Amino acid sequence: MGGAPEKRRGTGRAGRPDRPNHANRATPARTAAVGTLRRLRERDGFAQDVIGAVIDPAPLSPEDKGFATRLVLGVVSTRGVLDELIDRCLNSPSDIDATVRDALQVSAYELVFLRKAPHAAVDQGVELVRSVAPRAGGLANAVLRRLVKARDAFPFGDPSRDLAAYARLHGFPQWLAEMLVTDLGAPAAHAFMMASNEPAPLFVAVNAARATDDEVLAVLREAKEDPQPVAVDGTAVPGCFRLGNGAVLLDGRVRRLLNGGKLLVSDAASQAVAARVAAAAGAPEAFLEVGAGRGTKTILLQSDFLRMNGAQAGTFCTVDSHQFKTGLLERRAADYGIRVAEALTGDGTRLDGVVGSRQFSAVFIDAPCTGLGTLRRHADIRWRLRQPLIAEHAQLDGRLLASAAAHVALGGLLAYATCTVTPAENERAVEAFLASEAGAAFAVEEQAGRPFFATQLVPGGCDAHFLALLRRKG
């Protein structure tokens, strides 16, 4: 775009931070968002972790915290497209300081993806840049005014015919949009990309080891919340409720439920997977969870066993490859009243070295995956993911299945779950296992007349998860 701004005298590089003597007139939420993005970039961290460290404890109103969080997640989700837009408005894109770019990304996101009024967005954008680089106000003004003009042509093509334009419209890398269309079909891929840019709904689980549904619902209603029971794929999910407003989690009464282990925040799809695994396992004499992580599924599974059988599974063992996660799982299990017989650390692809020759009534693999089904909650994935990682995850998951197969008793259950939508990590991984020597002893256990359970990421819905239930032949 012609007439792009040049360097300003006295700044060194264009927009280089100078003396922090400018009175910041940007709103607190935008200021917090820029500070969070800067820390995120400097530490190469993950958005939700840095939001928890910077925005959550900040002296801001709940509304400002909510808006700041939305800005950060929005920028992280659409960062590649925002940088393309900003670069179109500069003669020398590499000459702009990273801190100034952080501020411009916030304003570009507001202008293009939130469709904010140009006057307010430009004024606030200039103030944001001045707050980090006082002498770069003129640069910011010029860039943002060109962005206002650029958004009239955005996404620079016909999204109904040009996949690059459609990817740009929804803030996706082009390669990922192309893969989604190939794997899911155009209508489902388009719905997926639209839903990925929405705020995630809030679902909670009542932990039956600490409370009854009625007890928790009474407290939520006292806090002026109207919890709604949830069904996924036409089946009610026990203890799962949808909340309309995340602000209720800040209510002291609700905080006590969370801190007391009575209530757990967890997506409805994750809860549905746990409920289906528990139902298929029945009343297992011995249960093994592989890839247990921080223990969220552990809590959900034992809560479901308690609802179903009147008691938690007595011999419930977990395995994870990270010691710090194992330690966290043990602490959380104690806080939630969840029985874990053994919390082991080891390589899930070599279970013989972790659990010996033991066999279990049920083995559940909560598989490592690309996590594409959780893009609304994990904004970092979209622009960090590289296509070769999909095949790498699929190969790893195949090794996990083969390792776990040897530890499933005759007639026992082997459950495999992911939170992604790629066929390579889902049905193809399972089909490859079944075609192998290790998988020959297993058969697919259908779910509601279908070979696998899979939720779709659609506007207003739960995350996209996948579950295969495999039964070892007796």
Side-chain angles (χ1 to χ4, degrees):
M1 300 186 65
E6 299 290 351
K7 297 180 184 178
R8 293 300 191 262
R9 181 179 300 174
T11 60
R13 297 196 319 170
R16 182 175 179 178
D18 290 299
R19 296 183 304 274
N21 56 2
H22 174 74
N24 184 11
R25 290 189 288 271
T27 65
R30 292 180 175 91
T31 301
V34 171
T36 304
L37 289 168
R38 180 173 184 172
R39 183 178 295 190
L40 182 62
R41 171 176 49 78
E42 291 175 344
R43 299 189 178 184
D44 193 28
F46 292 94
Q48 291 289 4
D49 293 340
V50 180
I51 287 169
V54 178
I55 294 177
D56 289 351
L60 299 171
S61 68
E63 293 76 15
D64 280 343
K65 288 183 180 180
F67 187 45
T69 297
R70 185 179 185 188
L71 289 174
V72 171
L73 295 179
V75 167
V76 173
S77 294
T78 60
R79 175 168 279 150
V81 176
L82 298 177
D83 282 338
E84 178 188 351
L85 284 162
I86 291 168
D87 290 350
R88 282 172 177 258
C89 300
L90 288 164
N91 278 344
S92 302
S94 62
D95 207 34
I96 187 173
D97 187 86
T99 307
V100 173
R101 187 176 287 272
D102 296 336
L104 289 175
Q105 286 174 341
V106 170
S107 298
Y109 177 73
E110 289 195 74
L111 279 167
V112 176
F113 288 98
L114 296 185
R115 306 298 296 181
K116 288 295 182 73
H119 177 75
V122 170
D123 283 355
Q124 279 292 298
V126 171
E127 292 300 324
L128 277 177
V129 170
R130 283 178 174 165
S131 72
V132 297
R135 296 184 184 180
L139 173 82
N141 186 63
V143 170
L144 292 173
R145 291 190 182 281
R146 284 169 173 76
L147 273 173
V148 171
K149 294 179 180 179
R151 79 172 183 174
D152 292 336
F154 184 80
F156 315 120
D158 182 355
S160 66
R161 299 181 180 182
D162 181 355
L163 187 54
Y166 196 90
R168 199 177 284 120
L169 179 66
H170 293 290
F172 271 72
Q174 184 175 339
W175 75 265
L176 181 52
E178 291 172 349
M179 187 197 74
L180 290 169
V181 169
T182 299
D183 287 345
L184 307 179
H190 291 175
F192 178 94
M193 286 188 275
M194 288 177 61
S196 294
N197 289 330
E198 290 189 342
L202 176 60
F203 299 98
V204 293
V206 177
N207 174 26
R210 289 286 194 221
T212 65
D213 289 2
D214 288 343
E215 176 187 352
V216 170
L217 293 177
V219 174
L220 290 171
R221 288 171 181 142
E222 286 176 9
K224 310 301 181 186
E225 183 56 59
D226 183 24
Q228 298 297 314
V230 175
V232 174
D233 201 28
T235 301
V237 183
C240 179
F241 297 91
R242 180 170 182 164
L243 305 184
N245 186 356
V248 72
L249 299 181
L250 301 176
D251 184 283
R253 293 162 291 194
V254 179
R255 293 302 305 173
R256 284 190 288 274
L257 291 177
L258 294 165
N259 295 336
K262 297 180 178 181
L263 192 64
L264 177 70
V265 176
S266 174
D267 183 76
S270 183
Q271 295 187 54
V273 164
R276 285 171 177 265
V277 172
E285 292 183 7
F287 188 99
L288 176 65
E289 181 185 5
V290 180
R294 294 170 169 82
T296 296
K297 287 279 196 345
T298 309
I299 298 166
L300 294 173
L301 284 162
Q302 285 286 49
S303 178
D304 286 327
F305 283 133
L306 183 55
R307 289 173 184 273
M308 290 169 40
N309 306 321
Q312 298 181 41
T315 304
F316 192 111
C317 301
T318 67
V319 173
D320 196 86
S321 58
H322 299 286
Q323 179 61 52
F324 83 92
K325 290 184 179 179
T326 300
L328 182 56
L329 180 149
E330 290 180 307
R331 292 191 294 274
R332 292 186 76 201
D335 290 343
Y336 281 82
I338 295 302
R339 183 184 302 162
V340 175
E342 292 181 272
L344 305 169
T345 302
D347 185 350
T349 67
R350 299 178 178 179
L351 282 174
D352 288 352
V354 184
V355 299
S357 60
R358 280 184 286 175
Q359 291 195 320
F360 297 83
S361 313
V363 178
F364 169 50
I365 302 172
D366 200 2
C369 66
T370 52
L372 287 171
T374 66
L375 287 183
R376 297 173 305 182
R377 304 177 193 279
H378 301 102
D380 316 88
I381 293 173
R382 193 182 307 185
W383 290 94
R384 287 191 177 197
L385 181 64
R386 296 293 177 264
Q387 196 162 8
L389 285 175
I390 297 171
E392 290 177 18
H393 277 298
Q395 292 167 5
L396 171 60
D397 294 341
R399 295 197 299 272
L400 287 169
L401 281 162
S403 176
H407 296 277
V408 179
L410 291 177
L413 177 73
L414 175 57
Y416 170 84
T418 74
C419 56
T420 192
V421 296
T422 66
E425 299 171 90
N426 292 344
E427 56 265 34
R428 289 179 199 160
V430 174
E431 290 163 0
F433 165 70
L434 292 171
S436 71
E437 182 179 354
F442 291 83
V444 173
E445 192 166 282
E446 289 194 345
Q447 303 175 66
R450 297 192 297 264
F452 308 120
F453 169 74
T455 57
Q456 304 301 314
L457 189 64
V458 296
C462 60
D463 290 347
H465 284 233
F466 171 88
L467 173 65
L469 299 176
L470 311 174
R471 186 71 62 177
R472 184 167 184 179
K473 303 167 187 176

